[in-house]
Amino acid sequence: EPEVTQTPSHQVTQMGQEVILRCVPISNHLYFYWYRQILGQKVEFLVSFYNNEISEKSEIFDDQFSVERPDGSNFTLKIRSTKLEDSAMYFCASSDGGGADTQYFGPGTRLTVL
Amino acid sequence: QKEVEQNSGPLSVPEGAIASLNCTYSDRGSQSFFWYRQYSGKSPELIMFIYSNGDKEDGRFTAQLNKASQYVSLLIRDSQPSDSATYLCAVAPGGSARQLTFGSGTQLTVLP
């Protein structure tokens, strides 16, 4: 069964450093998403991406965040200058855009900012 | 501010019983409703979705939607210890907006 994959599973970085989180969405899906979940808190929407551009973003997704689809399979989230409060699980999701447009989540990347 | 509210639990039921999980949402224009299961330290796993008023059954799971009351529920019949997890309700606005707003989840424990 097709699934969303994410790398790395765990990323440790120093405050102020740049990180890139990578995702490979399900191959025939057209919409891609990033969510984050701070430990013990709700899953929060960050951004959605369609047709090589951002379609929606939340107020969390400020100028330090960016997304890119550098090739036909990868979808990345870049955090330019990490802060302690960026420590969270980051989930990539994808959907095919049809019907109920259900979103399927990857296993997540745990980001720890020291 | 769009809100999705769930009782955080924990909810404990004996094995074989029916577990009932509830969710309310604030945005009356919401179109699609999802139930995800999340095991500790893992990602949300889709259980089922519903977008029409009434009941939708899938195996041991039944989702119920009442748009007039802005209420969604999930029933799990014949609960198993492997059903022990946090159940997340998620709501999508519909139309061209696809972002999911999640509730905080209800922690379910099924006792053997």
Side-chain angles (χ1 to χ4, degrees):
Chain A
E1 185 173 318
E3 58 183 21
V4 178
T5 60
Q6 291 185 242
T7 55
S9 57
H10 191 190
Q11 174 90 47
V12 181
T13 190
Q14 295 290 326
M15 189 170 55
Q17 295 296 303
E18 174 182 288
V19 295
I20 297 175
L21 311 182
R22 292 182 167 80
C23 168
V24 178
I26 294 172
S27 63
N28 64 338
H29 283 186
L30 303 176
Y31 294 83
F32 315 121
Y33 313 83
W34 285 101
Y35 292 81
R36 78 172 186 190
Q37 186 175 31
I38 296 170
L39 187 63
Q41 297 188 22
K42 296 182 182 184
V43 176
E44 300 174 289
F45 169 78
L46 294 178
V47 66
S48 62
F49 191 85
Y50 170 71
N51 200 25
N52 283 318
E53 60 183 29
I54 290 173
S55 50
E56 301 167 88
K57 62 181 181 179
S58 71
E59 58 190 25
I60 301 170
F61 193 87
D62 61 21
D63 290 346
Q64 72 160 341
F65 291 93
S66 62
V67 289
E68 189 179 33
R69 187 154 165 84
D71 54 44
S73 59
N74 290 282
F75 179 52
T76 63
L77 174 69
K78 182 191 291 185
I79 310 175
R80 288 191 183 81
S81 178
T82 50
K83 305 183 181 76
L84 295 176
E85 55 265 36
D86 293 328
S87 294
M89 281 289 283
Y90 287 80
F91 297 113
C92 175
S94 69
S95 67
D96 63 9
D101 196 30
T102 50
Q103 296 180 26
Y104 295 91
F105 284 71
T109 293
R110 178 168 298 283
L111 176 65
T112 301
V113 182
L114 302 176
Chain B
Q1 183 83 358
K2 297 172 185 174
E3 299 285 343
V4 177
E5 300 290 339
Q6 297 181 254
N7 290 329
S8 61
L11 172 66
S12 294
V13 300
E15 185 174 354
I18 295 175
S20 177
L21 305 163
N22 304 315
C23 170
T24 58
Y25 59 94
S26 64
D27 182 7
R28 185 169 288 277
S30 299
Q31 296 290 316
S32 303
F33 308 86
F34 304 86
W35 284 99
Y36 286 85
R37 176 171 61 196
Q38 187 175 34
Y39 293 110
S40 181
K42 302 296 186 183
S43 62
E45 173 192 6
L46 180 71
I47 297 174
M48 61 191 305
F49 65 88
I50 186 168
Y51 48 83
S52 298
N53 276 327
D55 296 359
K56 180 181 178 183
E57 187 175 316
D58 184 0
R60 295 187 297 112
F61 299 96
T62 298
Q64 299 173 316
L65 173 61
N66 184 327
K67 288 187 177 179
S69 300
Q70 296 175 240
Y71 176 89
V72 195
S73 66
L74 179 71
L75 300 177
I76 307 174
R77 289 182 300 281
D78 189 24
S79 296
Q80 301 297 309
S82 58
D83 294 327
S84 298
T86 297
Y87 288 80
L88 307 178
C89 174
V91 177
S96 61
R98 298 168 187 274
Q99 64 180 83
L100 294 178
T101 300
F102 281 84
S104 56
T106 297
Q107 186 180 344
L108 172 67
T109 300
V110 181
L111 304 169

